[in-house]
Amino acid sequence: MQFLLYILLYPILWCISMLPFRILYIVSDGVYVLTYYIIGYRKKTVRENLALALPHLSEKERLVIEKKSFRHMCDVFLEMIKTLTISKSEMDKHYVFNNLEVYSDLEKKGKSIALLCAHYASYEWAVSMNHKITFKGYAVYKKINNRYFDKLVRDIRSKFKATLITTKETIPVMASNFRNNKLGLYGLVSDQSPKLGAFFHWNKFMGIEVPIHTGGEMLAKKYDMNVIFLRTKKVKRGYYEATFEVLSDNAKEVPNYEITDQFLKLVEEQIYEQPEFYLWSHKRWKHRR
């Protein structure tokens, strides 16, 4: 059944990826209408999250953000599909790294690098940096139950030389590389809620006290990695700019949770500036105090 679903959908996805951007976003508008008005995908969750995180805004203002966030979410989904056939030169026009030299300077320090980012703007296209760097790039992701679509996602995200590793593979890969002195870049989307019973640190995120995912910081300390933050800005539809900010070049000496808290503050800055580009559909505040 999984394979049948895959062979039925793959040709459609491939055809969508071949569309010029102007047509792609017309399709995205249609997906938005289907997702928001007809299916109502996680609309209740999005509305609750916005009310929790942005209580200073009126209900009308939050509704505007809600609709814009759904439009953006559909754009990101279609842009991920577009990655199937997009060229490097075209990608470089749509996703620009403003200060790649900041990252390159960290490579010269001779340590692996943990790159922390959030479900904000275009977290999917961030993998395009892998054809611009020297280190081998690893992108940590959650495995999809359908093995055929899991392979498809791996193929899409690894197009620009990124090596995908599942959450379960992360520590064994890092440990092996550390023992063998193999330097790498590890991309970690670290704003999600940790599993119940698997957290050690609480702090406020968007003004709400919640358990904080500290895996990125703890792994950086354990395997002596430098830590960098990727700030992404959506310039206009289909165009993004990414900026690197160093969080630590000596993670072992930083007090526990300081790097994590700094990362979350930077994520908050992005959200407050343009909240419509955050992924409000995941249950970030489900374990709040």
Side-chain angles (χ1 to χ4, degrees):
M1 184 63 184
Q2 288 186 350
F3 181 66
L4 177 61
L5 182 62
Y6 173 77
I7 61 174
L8 288 173
L9 288 180
Y10 181 80
I12 298 173
L13 298 177
W14 189 86
C15 289
I16 290 173
S17 76
M18 292 294 292
L19 296 174
F21 276 98
R22 181 175 60 85
I23 307 300
L24 185 78
Y25 289 122
I26 293 175
V27 174
S28 182
D29 288 340
V31 174
Y32 161 70
V33 171
L34 178 66
T35 304
Y36 184 78
Y37 289 102
I38 300 175
I39 298 175
Y41 172 76
R42 293 198 175 186
K43 189 186 289 188
K44 182 181 178 182
T45 298
V46 171
R47 196 160 292 176
E48 289 176 351
N49 284 343
L50 287 170
L52 285 168
L54 304 172
H56 60 287
L57 298 181
S58 67
E59 188 174 330
K60 184 178 180 180
E61 289 172 320
R62 291 198 298 268
L63 183 60
V64 171
I65 294 170
E66 177 184 306
K67 292 180 178 180
K68 286 183 177 180
S69 72
F70 270 90
R71 284 187 179 275
H72 173 69
M73 181 177 67
C74 293
D75 280 359
V76 170
F77 175 68
L78 270 293
E79 288 164 359
M80 182 182 71
I81 295 172
K82 180 68 176 175
T83 313
L84 270 170
T85 56
I86 196 172
S87 66
K88 288 182 181 179
S89 60
E90 193 172 23
M91 177 63 85
D92 287 343
K93 294 176 183 176
H94 287 266
Y95 197 96
V96 177
F97 293 93
N98 287 325
N99 59 343
L100 195 62
E101 68 279 0
V102 171
Y103 167 82
S104 299
D105 287 343
L106 275 189
E107 280 197 345
K108 296 173 185 176
K109 294 182 182 292
K111 293 182 181 181
S112 290
I113 300 170
L115 183 148
L116 306 185
C117 61
H119 289 92
Y120 186 86
S122 181
Y123 47 92
E124 288 290 345
W125 278 354
V127 295
S128 65
M129 73 176 288
N130 285 279
H131 76 94
K132 300 174 180 290
I133 66 176
T134 303
F135 285 4
K136 183 174 182 178
Y138 298 87
V140 179
Y141 84 110
K142 187 175 181 180
K143 190 173 183 179
I144 298 172
N145 290 330
N146 186 314
R147 61 174 176 157
Y148 301 103
F149 281 104
D150 183 72
K151 182 182 182 303
L152 176 62
V153 169
R154 292 174 71 96
D155 290 343
I156 290 173
R157 291 176 175 172
S158 62
K159 179 172 181 178
F160 294 94
K161 295 172 64 177
T163 300
L164 265 73
I165 52 177
T166 65
T167 50
K168 290 183 178 180
E169 295 170 331
T170 302
I171 292 178
V173 169
M174 286 183 177
S176 175
N177 287 344
F178 184 71
R179 286 194 304 268
N180 294 295
N181 199 29
K182 293 182 179 179
L183 300 178
L185 167 70
Y186 301 93
L188 301 158
V189 184
S190 301
D191 61 320
Q192 67 270 39
S193 180
K195 291 181 179 179
L196 192 62
F199 49 81
F200 312 96
H201 178 52
W202 290 74
N203 203 349
K204 288 187 176 181
F205 179 51
M206 302 296 291
I208 306 159
E209 193 169 7
V210 289
I212 305 299
H213 200 292
T214 59
E217 177 182 345
M218 295 300 105
L219 290 170
K221 287 175 179 288
K222 184 173 183 178
Y223 298 112
D224 194 22
M225 292 188 280
N226 293 321
V227 188
I228 199 166
F229 172 66
L230 183 68
R231 180 190 294 271
T232 309
K233 181 178 181 179
K234 188 171 186 175
V235 180
K236 59 181 180 178
R237 200 173 196 183
Y239 290 87
Y240 303 87
E241 290 182 357
T243 305
F244 296 101
E245 298 180 30
V246 178
L247 296 183
S248 176
D249 60 0
N250 194 3
K252 284 186 173 181
E253 300 301 318
V254 179
N256 283 346
Y257 312 128
E258 190 173 297
I259 293 172
T260 300
D261 291 343
Q262 185 183 359
F263 161 71
L264 283 179
K265 286 181 181 179
L266 294 173
V267 175
E268 282 185 343
E269 287 178 9
Q270 292 184 111
I271 296 172
Y272 281 127
E273 184 178 349
Q274 291 181 299
E276 63 269 27
F277 300 140
Y278 189 58
L279 185 66
W280 294 101
S281 59
H282 65 305
K283 297 181 179 180
R284 181 60 188 90
W285 294 275
K286 60 184 175 181
H287 299 311
R288 64 187 181 276
R289 279 178 174 167

